[in-house]
Structure formats: C-alpha cells, structure tokens
Amino acid sequence: MVRNKTGTLPEPVARIEVLANLSLTLDRLAGFFLVLSAFTLTVALLPTLMGFWPILAIAIVHLAIVGWCFRLAWLGNWARQDIMIDRERVSVRYRTARAEQEVSWPSSWVRLRKRHQAGELHIYLAHHGKEIEIGGFVPASERQEAAKFITDALAPYSAWHVHGLKR
C-alpha cells in the first residue's frame, strides 16, 4: 500500500509511506490463533478424559509450534518505508520488525531510477553512486505508484530537471 501525505504548513513537505501488504493485522492473527487453539484443545479433550493423556500434551506442543510459525511469518513480512521530501532533504526511513535504517540526502541531487529486473519494475533513489530500493516488498504496480509520487515531489527541488538535464 502506498499513501501520499503532502502537507503545506510553513513549507511544502511530501510524506510518502510504502507499507507491506499484510492481509491480517496482528490482532486478527492472534484472534485466529485463539480460535484454532480452542478448537484443537476441545478435540483433544475427549481422548484425554478417556485416559489417553499424551494426546493433550501433543496438542499443546503442536499449538506452540504453530504459534511460533505464525509469529515468524508475520514478523518476516512486516516492512515499511517512510519517505519525506522537502526543499532541503530527502529522508528515507526503512523499518522492519527486526531492524531500522535511515538515509538522508540533499534533495537537489537525488534522482529516481527505474530498472527492470526479472521482468519486474524496481525503483531506486540515487545520490552520488549510492542507491536505496523503494518498495521492494510491495507489488510492481504499487512501486510504480510510489515512483509517480516521488517524481512529483522531487520535481520542484531537483537540480536534474534544470537546464534540460532530465536523466
């Protein structure tokens, strides 16, 4: 998902958020796991009452493993990039569940580069030989949308658009 939040308080500031597409929020995943756990333990209750107590122990171990796998899958796919563009700086803050990285460059010399790799569009912000990929965790259509927002926000400040330097 790509959100464009452009503000015009004292100076125009473009805020572009690129968010990973997670179909379940953490609350909904926890609710689903709670329902799954209740169903599993209910099914294991009858054999346990009949004296087959190892079934309950196996069900609990199984639920612990499934819960751990759900947690790893959800955290492994959570990612977000916050891009702020103003007259002076372009700041990109990339956050995952495990790490956070922030890059800040002068906005006049930052440019957007597009590349096709393995048949998909990838976009990068580049500054003096350094690049950072934008939206590598979202579908190509959303990367294209982010590229349009970034291009529009960079246009008034970019030195690459002055005197016909469009590349």
Side-chain angles (χ1 to χ4, degrees):
M1 171 188 328
V2 178
R3 288 188 250 178
N4 186 9
K5 297 181 177 182
T6 303
T8 58
L9 294 172
E11 291 185 19
V13 175
R15 289 187 45 149
I16 301 157
E17 297 175 341
V18 182
L19 307 163
N21 296 324
L22 295 174
S23 58
L24 287 176
T25 64
L26 188 57
D27 294 340
R28 288 184 181 175
L29 181 64
F32 174 75
F33 182 67
L34 182 66
V35 169
L36 180 68
S37 299
F39 181 75
T40 302
L41 293 175
T42 302
V43 169
L45 185 62
L46 180 63
T48 302
L49 293 176
M50 293 174 58
F52 300 111
W53 61 268
I55 291 177
L56 183 62
I58 292 170
I60 290 172
V61 168
H62 178 264
L63 286 173
I65 292 170
V66 168
W68 186 256
C69 290
F70 278 169
R71 181 181 182 276
L72 288 178
W74 196 87
L75 289 177
N77 289 312
W78 189 90
R80 132 181 231 147
Q81 281 180 325
D82 296 319
I83 304 156
M84 291 186 57
I85 302 170
D86 62 11
R87 180 180 313 275
E88 300 295 322
R89 315 252 356 121
V90 173
S91 299
V92 179
R93 187 172 169 197
Y94 177 66
R95 292 183 290 170
T96 64
R98 293 179 178 86
E100 184 173 326
Q101 174 187 9
E102 187 163 354
V103 175
S104 186
W105 293 325
S107 58
S108 57
W109 295 106
V110 174
R111 72 169 119 174
L112 186 84
R113 291 195 175 160
K114 297 180 182 181
R115 289 193 200 126
H116 288 278
Q117 297 172 348
E120 282 196 8
L121 175 70
H122 291 268
I123 61 171
Y124 298 88
L125 282 178
H127 177 261
H128 292 297
K130 299 175 187 171
E131 292 183 332
I132 185 167
E133 184 174 10
I134 302 297
F137 49 87
V138 296
S141 61
E142 293 183 13
R143 282 184 285 228
Q144 182 68 35
E145 183 181 0
K148 182 186 177 314
F149 289 147
I150 292 169
T151 302
D152 292 345
L154 275 177
Y157 313 122
S158 178
W160 295 101
H161 292 287
V162 178
H163 306 298
L165 295 175
K166 292 231 176 188
R167 200 147 162 97

